[in-house]
Amino acid sequence: MVTDTAKPVSVPGTEQPVPGTAPSRIGRFGRALLPGPAPGANGAALYRRWWLPWLWTAPAIVCAAVFGVFPFLNTLLLSFTDAKPLGGAASFVGWSNYTRMLEDSDFWLATRNSLLYALIVVPLMVLLPLLLAILVEKNLPGIGFFRSAFYTPVLASSVVVGLSWQWLLADEGLINTSLEKAHLIKDAIPFLSDSWLILFSAMGLTLWKGLGWYMIFYLAALGNVPKELHEAAAMDGAGAVRRFWHITVPGVRQAMMLVGTLTGIGSLRVFTEIYMLGSATGGPGGADRTLPFYIRDVGLDPLTGNAGYGSAVSVALFLLTLGLTLLAQRLTKEDES
């Protein structure tokens, strides 16, 4: 019986043989660019090219480069100059901005406020939303209303929330008026005029607005904690507090690390709360200014600002935030091991 010898078959328009036939003379580079079956591929990868994933991710890469990488590199470059906020000629000043920063008492005051803000807000923001999530996790009558109520501040604008807190904390606001009518105080509490009270009030605003958001994180994490562990511990006589520390906390530890990291970064970047409660000066004499607030004052003022010095402070804030993130990552790895 005589059979014909199979000849190479090419895909029309590409001059590239289909899999299982003789190789084409077009070369590897041409096969990678032109449409058609990839050499040695099968199934869904038959017509896939190496550049196709990059094509899909190109918009995200371009946005990250334009709005992330370029501003960072530009800020780093400006920190070694005496550039002005409105532009113009700028000269290279070397490490002068960083030397000035280390000798600036206002910079250290802003750093103290930012670190104090993080040290107080982060532990409370890690613990309180967890307790709130445990409270609303139970399927009780009307619990849906409370879940919505606790989440409502997250939907409100920071400016709107700040104005509401101004009305609450003013000398003639709701809190002082209620306390005076209850004969608990004689004089109004200076929530919006005392530097320490402004700072603590801003922390309270941050906590109140963020509780509902991080409650959602914990609700998702609590769903992965086996109920059988709680039932077995309860049968062994473990109380609610003991079950919380030995079952719930280990079960949501990863979520706690995530919340702590996000809250720490947000605390170091706080601006709106201080601005709304302490006015545009950042409290009496600028005593409540945080690092972002201080960057705005020294770097963006159109008359007296120095964009170079403001960029140097921005780099310091970046390094502080990076250190916190790396610390949280290390703690997470140690916990996993």
Side-chain angles (χ1 to χ4, degrees):
M1 181 177 182
V2 179
T3 58
D4 295 334
T5 302
K7 297 182 178 180
V9 181
S10 299
V11 177
T14 66
E15 301 299 331
Q16 179 177 347
V18 298
T21 63
S24 172
R25 297 181 180 178
I26 197 171
R28 181 178 298 177
F29 180 75
R31 290 196 302 269
L33 294 179
L34 293 177
N42 52 40
L46 188 63
Y47 290 89
R48 185 177 300 163
R49 288 292 178 260
W50 64 268
W51 44 264
L52 188 59
W54 292 100
L55 180 64
W56 288 106
T57 57
I61 294 175
V62 171
C63 289
V66 173
F67 299 105
V69 177
F70 173 74
F72 172 76
L73 296 178
N74 186 56
T75 301
L76 187 62
L77 178 63
L78 287 177
S79 67
F80 295 99
T81 67
D82 60 353
K84 301 300 179 183
L86 299 181
S91 57
F92 181 78
V93 296
W95 296 94
S96 298
N97 289 326
Y98 292 94
T99 304
R100 172 189 169 187
M101 180 179 63
L102 296 177
E103 298 173 351
D104 190 352
S105 59
D106 290 335
F107 164 76
W108 290 111
L109 177 62
T111 303
R112 184 208 69 179
N113 290 336
S114 294
L115 290 176
L116 181 63
Y117 210 99
L119 289 174
I120 294 178
V121 170
V122 171
L124 293 176
M125 193 67 86
V126 170
L127 182 61
L128 294 180
L130 176 58
L131 299 177
L132 191 62
I134 294 174
L135 179 64
V136 303
E137 185 190 22
K138 304 181 184 299
N139 293 322
L140 300 176
I143 197 64
F145 168 78
F146 290 98
R147 291 174 181 172
S148 302
F150 291 141
Y151 191 77
T152 300
V154 179
L155 304 177
S157 167
S158 297
V159 176
V160 173
V161 173
L163 292 173
S164 301
W165 276 61
Q166 280 185 8
W167 173 73
L168 289 172
L169 301 175
D171 290 346
E172 298 179 355
L174 178 63
I175 293 179
N176 278 316
T177 301
S178 300
L179 293 177
E180 289 176 356
K181 289 185 176 181
H183 302 289
L184 297 176
I185 59 173
K186 293 183 179 180
D187 299 322
I189 301 175
F191 290 110
L192 303 181
S193 56
D194 182 83
S195 60
W196 284 108
L197 290 180
I198 290 174
L199 193 62
F200 290 129
S201 298
M203 295 177 188
L205 193 158
T206 300
L207 288 169
W208 182 76
K209 193 175 188 310
L211 282 176
W213 172 249
Y214 294 113
M215 177 190 70
I216 301 299
F217 285 48
Y218 283 125
L219 282 174
L222 288 172
N224 296 324
V225 179
K227 302 296 183 182
E228 295 79 4
L229 295 178
H230 286 277
E231 296 173 357
M235 293 179 63
D236 290 338
V241 176
R242 193 170 183 179
R243 294 199 306 271
F244 172 78
W245 287 111
H246 293 280
I247 298 177
T248 302
V249 171
V252 300
R253 192 178 299 274
Q254 296 299 321
M256 295 176 71
M257 292 294 182
L258 176 61
V259 171
T261 302
L262 295 178
T263 306
I265 295 174
S267 298
L268 294 177
R269 297 171 53 190
V270 68
F271 174 84
T272 306
E273 291 87 339
I274 301 295
Y275 185 90
M276 296 303 299
L277 299 183
S279 73
T281 61
D288 295 302
R289 290 186 297 181
T290 55
L291 282 174
F293 210 111
Y294 184 64
I295 292 171
R296 187 211 66 159
D297 288 348
V298 300
L300 300 180
D301 190 285
L303 299 177
T304 61
N306 185 334
Y309 182 60
S311 298
V313 180
S314 300
V315 172
L317 176 59
F318 166 76
L319 294 177
L320 187 63
T321 306
L322 179 62
L324 176 64
T325 305
L326 293 178
L327 177 62
Q329 185 178 10
R330 181 175 180 180
L331 293 175
T332 303
K333 288 183 178 179
E334 290 179 355
D335 179 69
E336 291 177 351
S337 61

